[in-house]
Amino acid sequence: MSRWAAFAAGLSVFVARPAGAQMMMPPQPPTIAVSARGEVQVAPDRARVQVGVETQAKTPGLASQENNRKQTAILAAIRALGVPAAQIQTLNYSVMPMQRYDEKLRRVVIDGYTVSNIVQVETERMELAGPIIDAGLSNGANRVAGLDFFTKNRTKAQDEALAMAVASARRQAEVAAKAAGGQVAELIELAINDFERPEPRPMMAMARAEMAEAPTPTPLAEGTTTVAVSVQTRWKFVKQP
C-alpha cells in the first residue's frame, strides 16, 4: 500500500467514527422570554418653538428680499422678549420654483419662486413659548412648524423607567412560570432597548388674520413628558417537584 493510500484509509476511519462515540450536548434548561416597558411622567422644563416665513414672487431675488425683511423683524421681536441670540437658530432655508404643467405649451413652466426660512427657538422659560409664537405671527411669520416641550435632564427619569421595565418583566415571568407549574430561577439574559424619546408635537402651518383689536395671546399647556424604556428578558424556568 502506498503512503497516500494509507493516509486516506486512516482519514476515512477517523471521520466515520461510531455513532455511540459522538459527543452529546446537554439539554438546555427551559426558559421564559418576556418583553416589558416602563414609563415615567415628568414635567418639562424646556420649550422648543419653530416659526418661519414663506414668501412668493416672480423672481427668487424678490421673494428672498421680502422674506429677509419679515424674518429680520421676527428675530428682533423674539430677542426683545429676552431670548438670547445663542438660543435662536436657523433651522431651514430653501428657495423652490413654483412649477406647473402648461397644457397649451405642453411643458412645465415656472410661475415664480417660494422662499422659506424657519428658525428654532429653545428656551428654559416655559412661559415664553406662547409669546414667541405671537411675536412671530405679529411680524410676518406665516408658519409655525413645530412646538415641543421636553426635559433637559432625563437621567433620573430614565433610571426609574428602566427599573419599572425590569420589575414588570420579572413579574410577568413569575406569573407565567406559576401557571406552567414551576417557578423562575434566575435571569439569563437582559437586553435594554434605546430610551424612547417623545416626538415633538407638530403644529400645522398657520397664518395670523389681521384684526382691528389687539390679538389674543396664544394659550399653551405643556402638560407632562413621557420618558420610556423597553427591555427584553429571558428567565430560567424550574419545574416544581
Side-chain angles (χ1 to χ4, degrees):
M1 180 182 296
S2 67
R3 181 178 300 177
W4 171 252
F7 174 78
L11 180 61
S12 175
V13 172
F14 175 78
V15 173
R17 65 174 57 182
Q22 297 290 331
M23 182 179 295
M24 299 297 294
M25 296 297 294
Q28 296 297 316
T31 60
I32 298 176
V34 180
S35 298
R37 188 171 186 267
E39 292 185 359
V40 175
Q41 301 293 324
V42 295
D45 56 14
R46 295 291 187 277
R48 185 184 293 123
V49 184
Q50 297 172 4
V51 295
V53 182
E54 191 173 279
T55 54
Q56 297 178 346
K58 286 294 184 180
T59 68
L62 291 175
S64 178
Q65 289 176 19
E66 178 69 8
N67 195 290
N68 295 345
R69 183 185 65 80
K70 292 182 177 180
Q71 192 63 274
T72 299
I74 292 170
L75 293 177
I78 293 175
R79 286 194 293 267
L81 295 173
V83 179
Q87 296 179 354
I88 306 173
Q89 178 184 17
T90 298
L91 192 65
N92 175 269
Y93 187 93
S94 64
V95 180
M96 299 290 293
M98 296 185 294
Q99 298 178 331
R100 64 178 177 84
Y101 184 79
D102 191 298
E103 293 289 349
K104 186 176 181 179
L105 298 176
R106 295 186 178 181
R107 63 180 176 86
V108 175
V109 297
I110 296 176
D111 289 331
Y113 293 84
T114 299
V115 175
S116 178
N117 187 345
I118 299 176
V119 295
Q120 177 173 280
V121 184
E122 185 173 314
T123 178
E124 67 277 5
R125 296 172 60 187
M126 304 290 290
E127 71 279 5
L128 285 185
I132 288 172
I133 294 176
D134 294 336
L137 297 178
S138 298
N139 288 275
N142 52 14
R143 292 193 63 190
V144 179
L147 171 63
D148 181 24
F149 296 112
F150 63 100
T151 303
K152 184 176 181 180
N153 187 2
R154 302 166 55 89
T155 302
K156 181 179 179 181
Q158 288 174 341
D159 292 346
E160 293 178 3
L162 176 58
M164 291 175 61
V166 175
S168 176
R170 183 178 184 91
R171 182 171 59 253
Q172 294 180 59
E174 289 174 345
V175 171
K178 183 178 180 180
Q183 61 184 12
V184 170
E186 71 262 2
L187 179 65
I188 298 176
E189 181 181 350
L190 171 62
I192 303 173
N193 296 334
D194 291 337
F195 290 99
E196 304 168 21
R197 297 184 179 274
E199 293 294 327
R201 283 171 277 185
M203 296 182 67
M204 297 182 64
M206 55 190 296
R208 174 181 174 271
E210 295 297 332
M211 296 179 293
E213 58 184 5
T216 303
T218 300
L220 297 174
E222 60 269 21
T224 58
T225 299
T226 301
V227 177
V229 60
S230 57
V231 297
Q232 295 176 333
T233 63
R234 188 174 297 276
W235 308 80
K236 182 179 180 181
F237 172 77
V238 177
K239 190 75 172 178
Q240 290 181 346

